[in-house]
Amino acid sequence: MLSRIAATVVPSLGHLTITSDHATAPAAGSIIVANHTSLVDPGVVLAALRRLGVEPVVMATAGLWRIPVLGRLLERGGHVPVHRNTDRAAGALDTAALALAAGRHLLIYGEGRLPCRTDVAEAPPGSFRSGLARLAHVSGAPVVPLGQAGARRVSSGSRVKQISGFLTAPARRPRLHVHLGAPLHLPPEVGAATAAAREAVTAAWRTAADRIGEPAASA
């Protein structure tokens, strides 16, 4: 349901394009790891993936499940709530591993948070949390790096600016681009795996940012 909604709404907010380093969609049971820049970029990513025939399970902060309507959609779609900083946090990885074993794609944000910036510019992904590396090791799933750029042009900054940006986006039609890198298998050591995943997502982000003409792509 979330993927279908995103595929309907996102094209009205901007011009979405997609590129990939491989000819086919990510294999079933893959972990798709994306950079996180804006409250609207999950919609951008879901819309792009649906064009490729992929409707993933999403790992997201458990607070979203408390939002009316959205929480019900997340529950119905079998998405995975992450109860951060609690003794329930580790259980999210177990649930995610079960989804992967069942052949579902899993979308995860390596940074686990939005950047603390108010401008609309792009920047490389921040530091990654260790959950992705641990999940990849336990599940044995391939990791597909995904870079997205342009979502901050739709919505970023203060709450007022975010709302204003979202409302004016249909008239402005900002460029949005999603790039999928080649799948990789992460090394078993958590630190090395986390660094390798961030490097791959950063490379995918640079490709996406370059496609929309962001100066940060060549910085």
Side-chain angles (χ1 to χ4, degrees), residues 32-206:
I32 301 169
V33 56
N35 62 311
H36 201 11
T37 62
S38 167
L39 288 174
V40 303
D41 70 58
V44 172
V45 171
L46 288 176
L49 290 174
R50 192 164 193 266
R51 290 189 187 178
L52 300 175
V54 173
E55 297 189 4
V57 169
V58 181
M59 289 189 74
T61 178
L64 296 177
W65 272 252
R66 295 193 293 269
I67 299 175
V69 181
L70 176 59
R72 289 196 294 274
L73 291 174
L74 290 166
E75 185 69 29
R76 286 174 56 188
H79 301 287
V80 182
V82 181
H83 298 269
R84 294 174 180 166
N85 303 316
T86 73
D87 55 5
R88 301 173 63 186
L93 296 182
D94 296 333
T95 304
L98 289 173
L100 290 166
R104 296 294 303 272
H105 296 87
L106 182 83
L107 174 61
I108 185 172
Y109 285 90
E111 297 151 286
R113 60 193 176 280
L114 287 169
C116 297
R117 296 189 290 112
T118 59
D119 62 297
V120 300
E122 292 288 330
S127 59
F128 274 24
R129 297 175 182 265
S130 64
L132 166 65
R134 290 184 283 126
L135 177 60
H137 178 64
V138 168
S139 66
V143 173
V144 178
L146 183 152
Q148 59 78 27
R152 291 187 66 81
R153 296 180 179 184
V154 175
S155 181
S156 59
S158 67
R159 181 169 297 182
V160 172
K161 287 184 177 180
Q162 288 184 47
I163 294 172
S164 175
F166 187 85
L167 293 176
T168 60
R172 293 184 290 110
R173 303 287 297 164
R175 295 178 64 192
L176 310 167
H177 193 84
V178 169
H179 180 77
L180 279 77
L184 64 152
H185 285 277
L186 299 181
E189 197 276 316
V190 170
T194 301
R198 182 175 180 270
E199 181 179 355
V201 173
T202 299
W205 163 80
R206 288 193 185 281

